[in-house]
Amino acid sequence: MIDQAEKVLNNVFGYDSFRPLQQEAIQQVLNKEDALVIMPTGGGKSIIYQIPAIIFDGLTVVVSPLISLMKDQVEQLHQFDVPAVFLNSSLTPEEYEQNISILKQGKADMLYLAPETLLMPKTRDLLSELNVECFTIDEAHCISEWGHDFRPEYRQMADVRREDFPDAACLALTATATPRVREDIRITLGMKDSETFLASFNRKNLFLKVADKDDPTEQVLDFLYTRKKQSGIIYCFSRRQVDELYVDLVKEGHSVKPYHAGLSEKVRTRNQEAFIRDDVNIIVATIAFGMGINKPDVRFVMHYDMPKNIESYYQQIGRAGRDGLRADCLLLFSYSDTQKIRYFINQKEGDEKKIAEQHLNALLKFLEADECRRKPLLNYFGEEYEKETCDMCDNCISADAEVEDFTVHAQKFLSCIARTDQKFGANYVADLLRGSKSQKVKDNDHLDLPTHGIGMEWSKNQWIQLSRLLIRQDYLSKDPQYGSLVLEKPAKMVLDGKENVFGTLDRTEATVDSEALSRTNSEVENKYEEKLFETLREKRKELADQKGIPPYAIFPDTTLMEMAFYFPQDKEHMLQIYGVGKAKEKRYGKIFRKIIRNYCDENDLEEKEKYLKQRAEESAKKEKHVRMGEAFNDGQSIEHLAEEYGVKDVTVLRELKKYMEEDHDLRVEGITEASSLSPRKQEEVIEAMEERNPNLLKPVYDYLNKEVGYDELRVMQLYYLARERVK
């Protein structure tokens, strides 16, 4: 039956191959066996029940708490000529009865239901008359009391499944489930002997960045400046903040709508529809927005305020880049936001309060990390990120930046905290160092402190940034109740001159530099014809408006991008484009081919063969690091390669490491030429790598008392690994 599934994948959905674990999970469902599927947002969960639904003779029931998502999914399935209906409170009585009639006549492959609708006696009576072959529970984490979005009615799904559909395959799907939540889902649904398909939680196309909140409105405007016409979501903590930011963005000429529970349902629905249908670019919203959004071309998600926990954060950033193209996720971090969350946690009691505190602490660990952000993020979900760097987060990119020695300034700051008995926050300490003579300073009798006025060389903001650096590196902590800075044990080492403090200060920058962008884009993303792409988008919007559906239900951006790169001009080549199945080619192919043909004629462009180009593209992906590796093995120095390619030494080291990781030998001699360490110090680093893990630099950095910077460690790491290969 899997051959049949592959045909459906290609002919109906227009995809060449399955994504990881899709095929295995589909086979499980086709065998009428239960499955628990944990797959990140955008990972292709819906295909796992949609393909079997098309193949099965009977009905597939899909339970989802997201009314807007049901409507969206059904609209998209209709574009593929797949018969599907939904039953929920958004339908008029006439529409409701019409859909029931379609079900009774056996004319639907899929039925989408809200849990409340499923639990109604009349719905269960209806389904008892139908041949239900697959019972699918989407957003299955709602079953678990340990999940971030527990819904009591979801616990009743087990009874419905056992009593009404005992012979149907049971498929539970979620994007966010810790090991504890996964086990709870399995036990509750009675899926003890089922297969669990656990995909990686790593969304490789999402660039993760955390910036210290400084002047948040200005930071938002800076971030949006280079994102004109892009779709994005900005999350705020409160309704009031949503309204204020919405007004500010409108004043600056942005295409934006607000969304929160204080607006009428009619206005919320209208604003959401405007966003989905590309009538506005940006939604400013509370967390009430987005659960049912299946819009694949959201290019950014920004958190103006902190989310409550990692699961909420992960789910919200999961709404970006569902089409697989690069998307940016920026979170503005302030300790004052932490206090807001703690206020609500303190309203809880017992286990609920304990769980919420654990969730917040895990989030803070992620936000304060100075290592690759994917490590704490994936670790939360029970997955280990084995690479040292991802090159798709701010910490990994900043590893290329100049790391400075802030030991003297750290000693001033820590000393000032000690002399004021650890009773004050960063703002007050910074004021003291800058020689403030405010009434508060006078009242506290701090004018005569030895540290008063010894930090005039820095601005207040620089001292605040240093305080955040010291917190991230565990020299300081923040009192959760009063917000005062507290010295941790390592601070004494700094004050005694036994440990140095290294790092980079400014984390308020909200933009992403062009070098970081270019590292992640594929050749198609980099070189498609933008003018043609915009023309295709305009036609897509026109057709979508005529049909009253979202533009992406016709074609997602990835499909239009490929059209604007390969220029398909006949039916055969159009069918090779990602996301163009037979139904869509028949419906829209001629319209889009005509636009492409006219554009090529006007600009003297020729059609490209996609699969030949794909092979060339795959070769080009390897070309840079392979070329560098071969050149280095032929005798070129790291310094020479950096100059030749116009990059930093650290970038060459990364490329050479990648070359070696692909099972190539790398000459050992010549690597240490890039190091400024003495032979004695080099040997100390090698010994530290043998003592710790040579693949992870943070443990080595700590073992060496933070006296050797990361750039030097990367040189020695490459040397160590190259030497080990040839032993």
Side-chain angles (χ1 to χ4, degrees):
M1 289 180 85
I2 204 63
D3 291 342
Q4 207 174 343
E6 288 175 345
K7 287 179 182 176
V8 172
L9 181 76
N10 186 257
N11 294 339
V12 176
F13 295 102
Y15 304 142
D16 298 326
S17 59
F18 288 109
R19 294 184 187 182
L21 295 183
Q22 281 182 331
Q23 181 173 326
E24 295 87 338
I26 288 169
Q27 183 67 68
Q28 180 84 355
V29 176
L30 291 173
N31 291 341
K32 290 291 189 73
E33 295 174 337
D34 296 345
L36 171 60
V37 177
I38 296 94
M39 212 173 254
T41 304
K45 291 189 294 295
S46 57
I47 284 285
I48 294 170
Y49 60 81
Q50 287 173 348
I51 286 181
I54 293 168
I55 294 172
F56 285 148
D57 293 329
L59 182 70
T60 290
V61 173
V62 183
V63 181
S64 170
L66 315 172
I67 289 177
S68 57
L69 181 59
M70 297 180 205
K71 183 173 181 289
D72 191 47
Q73 292 267 21
V74 168
E75 284 176 344
Q76 288 197 62
L77 287 167
H78 288 171
Q79 293 305 303
F80 291 114
D81 286 346
V82 176
V85 295
F86 62 87
L87 295 177
N88 60 43
S89 58
S90 71
L91 295 171
T92 65
E94 294 76 20
E95 291 169 334
Y96 206 97
E97 288 304 317
Q98 183 181 3
N99 285 351
I100 287 176
S101 175
I102 291 170
L103 289 166
K104 287 181 174 179
Q105 294 175 56
K107 293 182 178 179
D109 289 340
M110 269 171 278
L111 166 63
Y112 287 81
L113 291 166
E116 298 82 3
T117 307
L118 174 65
L119 295 173
M120 293 165 60
K122 68 175 184 179
T123 307
R124 294 180 70 174
D125 289 344
L126 168 68
L127 293 176
S128 68
E129 303 171 12
L130 306 175
N131 176 24
V132 176
E133 297 205 55
C134 180
F135 180 55
T136 297
I137 301 172
D138 201 7
E139 307 294 339
H141 61 272
C142 296
I143 286 173
S144 175
E145 291 178 304
W146 291 95
H148 65 95
D149 194 24
F150 171 59
R151 303 192 181 201
E153 65 272 13
Y154 251 67
R155 301 290 274 193
Q156 300 176 54
M157 295 298 105
D159 294 335
V160 174
R161 179 263 169 113
R162 185 177 60 255
E163 295 168 11
D164 296 6
F165 320 119
D167 299 323
C170 183
L171 175 62
L173 302 150
T174 180
T176 52
T178 61
R180 186 171 195 168
V181 171
R182 296 199 288 269
E183 186 60 22
D184 202 11
I185 294 170
R186 286 162 57 88
I187 291 171
T188 303
L189 289 175
M191 302 174 75
K192 291 182 181 177
D193 299 323
S194 68
E195 283 285 335
T196 296
F197 299 92
L198 179 61
S200 172
F201 285 88
N202 184 22
R203 294 282 309 282
K204 295 180 181 179
N205 62 313
L206 299 187
F207 187 90
L208 309 179
K209 178 163 184 168
V210 177
D212 289 327
K213 188 186 286 188
D214 181 30
D215 184 343
T217 302
E218 285 300 311
Q219 287 173 295
V220 170
L221 293 173
D222 286 346
F223 182 80
L224 296 178
Y225 185 74
T226 56
R227 290 170 172 77
K228 293 177 174 64
K229 295 187 178 180
Q230 289 189 0
S231 287
I233 305 169
I234 303 175
Y235 285 106
C236 299
F237 190 81
S238 67
R239 302 175 188 180
R240 178 182 173 184
Q241 189 59 69
V242 167
D243 290 335
E244 289 177 358
L245 183 58
Y246 162 66
V247 170
D248 287 339
L249 294 183
V250 168
K251 285 178 182 175
E252 293 293 328
H254 288 284
S255 170
V256 59
K257 291 290 183 186
Y259 189 103
H260 58 69
L263 300 171
S264 69
E265 185 176 349
K266 183 178 180 181
V267 172
R268 289 201 307 271
T269 301
R270 188 175 66 215
N271 291 353
Q272 180 169 300
E273 285 289 312
F275 179 66
I276 288 172
R277 300 193 176 184
D278 289 350
D279 293 325
V280 297
N281 295 332
I282 303 166
I283 282 284
V284 181
T286 57
I287 58 170
F289 176 80
M291 282 289 285
I293 296 300
N294 196 33
K295 185 174 169 61
D297 59 347
V298 174
R299 294 272 66 85
F300 65 86
V301 167
M302 185 175 190
H303 285 87
Y304 188 93
D305 302 302
M306 274 175 61
K308 292 185 297 182
N309 50 52
I310 283 189
E311 287 170 76
S312 297
Y313 170 75
Y314 185 80
Q315 190 171 66
Q316 287 154 17
I317 65 171
R319 287 154 199 161
R322 295 171 70 118
D323 52 12
L325 301 177
R326 181 206 166 92
D328 292 321
C329 306
L330 172 67
L331 188 153
L332 300 181
F333 174 39
S334 165
Y335 283 101
S336 62
D337 289 346
T338 309
Q339 301 308 311
K340 295 177 192 173
I341 295 171
R342 287 194 190 279
Y343 172 80
F344 287 102
I345 290 176
N346 289 332
Q347 312 304 307
K348 304 177 187 292
E349 295 180 354
D351 283 347
E352 190 181 1
K353 182 177 181 181
K354 182 180 175 183
I355 293 166
E357 287 173 343
Q358 290 173 352
H359 285 167
L360 177 58
N361 290 335
L363 176 64
L364 288 172
K365 183 179 178 183
F366 166 74
L367 297 176
E368 293 170 345
D370 57 5
E371 61 181 347
C372 171
R373 293 211 181 274
R374 279 170 167 76
K375 290 182 181 180
L377 181 62
L378 300 185
N379 183 255
Y380 178 82
F381 293 106
E383 179 179 346
E384 184 177 352
Y385 188 69
E386 295 181 349
K387 292 183 180 179
E388 185 192 332
T389 59
C390 67
D391 291 341
M392 280 292 285
C393 77
D394 53 346
N395 285 344
C396 290
I397 295 302
S398 68
D400 289 358
E402 292 296 326
V403 176
E404 297 181 59
D405 186 340
F406 294 117
T407 306
V408 173
H409 287 90
Q411 287 170 334
K412 291 181 180 181
F413 197 85
L414 297 173
S415 177
C416 196
I417 292 171
R419 291 176 186 276
T420 53
D421 299 322
Q422 306 178 65
K423 292 181 178 178
F424 300 93
N427 281 291
Y428 185 78
V429 175
D431 286 340
L432 276 183
L433 290 165
R434 298 222 355 109
S436 169
K437 295 179 181 177
S438 68
Q439 191 59 47
K440 186 175 181 180
V441 172
K442 292 175 182 176
D443 291 344
N444 288 320
D445 218 12
H446 286 160
L447 286 175
D448 296 327
L449 280 181
T451 52
H452 183 263
I454 64 169
M456 300 293 289
E457 74 278 13
W458 266 14
S459 68
K460 182 174 180 177
N461 182 58
Q462 285 175 297
W463 287 114
I464 299 296
Q465 292 298 321
L466 178 64
S467 75
R468 290 165 174 166
L469 173 69
L470 294 172
I471 289 171
R472 290 195 299 273
Q473 296 191 5
D474 299 323
Y475 296 111
L476 291 175
S477 61
K478 202 162 188 177
D479 184 282
Q481 187 171 358
Y482 300 106
S484 54
L485 295 176
V486 179
L487 299 173
E488 296 297 329
K489 284 184 180 179
K492 189 174 187 305
M493 299 288 287
V494 177
L495 288 169
D496 291 345
K498 296 178 180 178
E499 187 168 308
N500 291 345
V501 176
F502 294 97
T504 54
L505 274 197
D506 190 8
R507 287 167 46 121
T508 62
E509 177 61 54
T511 56
V512 178
D513 62 67
S514 57
E515 184 184 355
L517 288 167
S518 65
R519 291 179 186 182
T520 57
N521 293 349
S522 68
E523 186 178 0
V524 172
E525 285 180 80
N526 264 333
K527 297 184 179 179
Y528 68 90
E529 289 284 323
E530 291 185 23
K531 190 175 178 183
L532 173 57
F533 176 75
E534 289 302 326
T535 305
L536 296 172
R537 282 190 73 197
E538 288 169 10
K539 174 55 70 174
R540 178 182 68 177
K541 180 77 169 79
E542 178 189 325
L543 294 170
D545 287 346
Q546 289 171 5
K547 294 176 177 289
I549 59 175
Y552 57 80
I554 293 178
F555 288 125
D557 279 1
T558 35
T559 301
L560 300 188
M561 227 172 249
E562 284 204 359
M563 289 181 188
F565 182 82
Y566 295 112
F567 316 129
Q569 295 177 33
D570 60 40
K571 182 178 177 180
E572 180 188 352
H573 289 150
M574 182 63 91
L575 283 169
Q576 292 177 2
I577 298 298
Y578 175 89
V580 180
K582 289 184 177 178
K584 288 193 176 182
E585 207 295 321
K586 182 178 180 181
R587 188 171 285 149
Y588 304 115
K590 189 175 181 181
I591 298 169
F592 284 85
R593 289 202 306 272
K594 182 179 179 181
I595 294 171
I596 294 166
R597 196 176 298 116
N598 290 342
Y599 184 86
C600 289
D601 289 345
E602 291 169 8
N603 294 276
D604 197 24
L605 295 170
E606 293 185 2
E607 184 175 3
K608 302 173 188 174
E609 183 68 45
K610 178 179 177 183
Y611 291 105
L612 287 175
K613 195 69 184 176
Q614 272 184 335
R615 285 192 288 273
E617 191 175 298
E618 287 166 8
S619 173
K621 284 180 184 175
K622 294 183 179 179
E623 188 176 342
K624 185 177 180 181
H625 65 270
V626 170
R627 199 163 63 232
M628 279 191 179
E630 290 174 350
F632 181 77
N633 281 342
D634 287 341
Q636 285 194 30
S637 68
I638 290 171
E639 184 182 9
H640 179 89
L641 288 169
E643 187 177 339
E644 180 182 339
Y645 284 87
V647 295
K648 299 175 182 177
D649 286 4
V650 70
T651 304
V652 177
L653 292 170
R654 187 176 288 125
E655 297 293 341
L656 294 180
K657 186 166 178 275
K658 189 191 300 184
Y659 175 75
M660 194 166 55
E661 285 170 348
E662 291 183 356
D663 211 25
H664 298 292
D665 287 339
L666 197 69
R667 71 181 173 97
V668 177
E669 61 276 8
I671 296 177
T672 55
E673 289 176 10
S675 172
S676 60
L677 297 177
S678 67
R680 180 183 64 82
K681 205 67 179 175
Q682 288 179 12
E683 192 55 40
E684 279 185 25
V685 175
I686 293 298
E687 288 173 2
M689 288 182 172
E690 287 173 345
E691 183 70 26
R692 297 302 189 211
N693 184 347
N695 292 302
L696 300 174
L697 294 186
K698 181 72 163 59
V700 178
Y701 178 67
D702 291 339
Y703 184 79
L704 293 167
N705 296 320
K706 305 181 180 180
E707 292 176 354
V708 180
Y710 278 99
D711 286 356
E712 291 289 354
L713 290 180
R714 286 190 181 86
V715 176
M716 298 313 300
Q717 180 190 50
L718 187 65
Y719 173 77
Y720 181 95
L721 296 174
R723 192 180 69 173
E724 290 300 302
R725 275 190 61 84
V726 297
K727 274 188 177 179

